Amino acid sequence: MTIEAMVEQRRESVAQVHRVGYANRAMIRKKRCKRTKKCASTVPMALQDLFVSCRQMFKGPDTVPLPEDIKRLCNILDNMKPEDVGLSSELQFFKTKAAVKGTPRVTYTTIYQCNDFSMCIFFLPANAVIPLHNHPGMTVFSKLLLGKMHIKAYDWADPPRADGPDTPIQLRLAKLEADSVLTAPCNTSVLYPTTGGNIHQFTAITPCAVLDVLGPPYSKEGDRDCSYYKDFPYTAFSNGEMELKKEEGSCYAWLEETDVPENSKMDGIEYLGPQVDESRGFSS
């Protein structure tokens, strides 16, 4: 890599931080507190409750949280505000209306991560896209904190592969579970390993901040790597007589696994919001 390329890469990284707003004076970096009772009192109750609940309910790979635990976590997330993670609608990132040249890049920051779960925030400039991707063996909670976005989500349909002569073998039938616009504040979206829209895509209509809780998190070693897909209308590879009635075609699509899309690349920044108190991670 040339010196000029390295400088340009660094300039882009710094620009992303400023666009998100974590470098704003309203988000002055705080030193990590020592794990004392005095420090714990500075953690927003909602964020600490979220962390404690995650510690209690996520049991590792190949497990799905109990229904009552899912309901409890949704209730916490539904009531969370941007301020609970150090954000504000007054930050310049969420006020920016000017079009971004080229493909807007998504920025993310990790609040906390362990082997059982992760808590992170995704920042999407207007028109930015997190392409269609899956969450193998994972339960995911998504809370739109700020902004307005379109979400499209699929689950694999049965049978997993079509036998029609006109259907390319690399395509797989999927059922559309969501195709809607969300505006903050709104309720939490939940997807499961095989239901709830495990394969989804986010498109920002305005600058957005999305709080995601994933259990367990992505892991190549744990066979939970992320795969990306391209969707095609059901009618593009079917005459409407195979398996489905013609009028049901709009509820289904063909998905083809693709290489990692160029617009899936993200910039990571340090989380500068309130810190969770790990010493209280197993309290009731």
Side-chain angles (χ1 to χ4, degrees):
M1 179 181 289
T2 66
I3 296 296
E4 290 79 7
M6 293 176 65
V7 171
E8 182 59 30
Q9 186 180 62
R10 174 61 179 166
R11 183 182 296 115
E12 172 63 20
S13 178
V14 172
Q16 283 293 330
V17 173
H18 282 272
R19 281 201 289 272
V20 168
Y22 265 111
N24 190 290
R25 286 181 178 272
M27 297 279 302
I28 298 175
R29 180 175 180 175
K30 301 177 182 178
K31 293 182 179 180
R32 292 181 180 271
C33 300
K34 294 182 179 179
R35 294 166 186 163
T36 63
K37 291 184 178 179
K38 183 177 180 180
C39 177
S41 65
T42 66
V43 183
M45 183 178 296
L47 180 60
Q48 187 63 28
D49 285 348
L50 178 66
F51 171 72
V52 171
S53 294
C54 287
R55 271 277 179 93
Q56 294 172 344
M57 66 184 280
F58 288 111
K59 306 299 182 183
D62 303 318
T63 63
V64 176
L66 297 173
E68 56 266 30
D69 289 331
I70 291 172
K71 183 177 181 181
R72 174 171 50 132
L73 202 67
C74 283
N75 185 59
I76 294 171
L77 286 165
D78 287 347
N79 289 286
M80 286 191 71
K81 299 178 175 59
E83 292 75 17
D84 293 322
V85 291
L87 294 176
S88 168
S89 59
E90 296 304 309
L91 292 174
Q92 187 59 41
F93 175 79
F94 299 106
K95 289 184 173 182
T96 301
K97 296 182 179 179
V100 178
K101 293 182 179 180
T103 302
R105 287 173 72 102
V106 176
T107 302
Y108 72 93
T109 188
T110 301
I111 300 173
Y112 180 87
Q113 180 166 326
C114 63
N115 291 332
D116 292 339
F117 70 93
S118 65
M119 299 161 52
C120 53
I121 306 172
F122 294 91
F123 301 95
L124 291 79
N127 300 319
V129 177
I130 298 180
L132 201 61
H133 63 284
N134 70 344
H135 305 81
M138 302 157 67
T139 304
V140 181
F141 299 75
S142 296
K143 167 65 176 180
L144 181 62
L145 294 170
L146 288 164
K148 183 177 184 180
M149 69 162 37
H150 176 262
I151 180 171
K152 179 185 284 188
Y154 296 95
D155 284 325
W156 295 122
D158 291 325
R161 285 204 180 276
D163 297 322
D166 299 327
T167 305
I169 191 65
Q170 68 269 26
L171 296 180
R172 185 173 173 183
L173 188 64
K175 184 177 181 181
L176 183 66
E177 295 294 336
D179 187 9
S180 57
V181 173
L182 301 179
T183 303
C186 58
N187 289 336
T188 304
S189 300
V190 186
L191 61 84
Y192 304 89
T194 58
T195 61
N198 186 276
I199 306 165
H200 69 195
Q201 172 177 297
F202 292 156
T203 304
I205 297 173
T206 67
C208 296
V210 184
L211 172 60
D212 259 16
V213 175
L214 297 83
Y218 285 108
S219 170
K220 289 185 178 181
E221 296 75 14
D223 199 26
R224 295 189 306 279
D225 198 9
C226 185
S227 297
Y228 292 90
Y229 300 89
K230 183 177 181 181
D231 57 346
F232 299 91
Y234 174 70
T235 54
F237 298 102
S238 172
N239 59 13
E241 297 176 357
M242 183 186 63
E243 296 289 341
L244 302 173
K245 294 180 180 179
K246 188 173 183 179
E247 59 270 18
E248 294 176 328
S250 61
C251 298
Y252 291 82
W254 299 105
L255 301 191
E256 177 184 22
E257 186 171 347
T258 67
D259 295 330
V260 178
E262 179 65 27
N263 63 344
S264 69
K265 296 180 180 179
M266 302 183 185
D267 297 303
I269 60 173
E270 183 180 3
Y271 173 65
L272 302 179
Q275 306 294 319
V276 297
D277 179 11
E278 294 183 55
S279 68
R280 296 194 298 148
F282 294 97
S283 63
S284 58

